[in-house]
Structure formats: structure tokens, C-alpha cells
Amino acid sequence: MKHERRIGEAIMIASGIAISIGANAIGVIPVVYGGLAIMGLGVISVFWR
């Protein structure tokens, strides 16, 4: 179970970065902040326990 959680956290961080980069490329700034929020949740989840 712990291994699956780590994979999920890594996916959350990577998807947040990808969303931010993609939204920045097309110029949709509010979505950039959303991607950064998703990435932040993944980082917080890593250090939660």
C-alpha cells in the first residue's frame, strides 16, 4: 500500500508540473496556478507522514 501511495504522489507532482507548463505555453494563467496547487498537494502528501 505504501508503494502505491508513493506512485500516486509522484503522478500528482508530475501532472501538476505538466499542467502548469502546458497552461503557460497557451497563456491561461489561472490554470497555471491550479497546476501549481496540484503539485503543492503532492509535495505536502510526501511529507505528511
Side-chain angles (χ1 to χ4, degrees):
M1 181 73 178
K2 190 169 190 145
H3 181 67
E4 294 170 354
R5 181 175 176 219
R6 295 294 179 203
I7 292 172
E9 291 164 348
I11 291 171
M12 186 180 294
I13 293 169
S15 65
I17 292 170
I19 290 169
S20 296
I21 291 172
N24 194 21
I26 61 174
V28 185
I29 301 303
V31 179
V32 173
Y33 293 131
L36 291 175
I38 292 170
M39 184 192 68
L41 287 172
V43 170
I44 288 171
S45 180
V46 168
F47 295 111
W48 188 258
R49 286 192 173 206

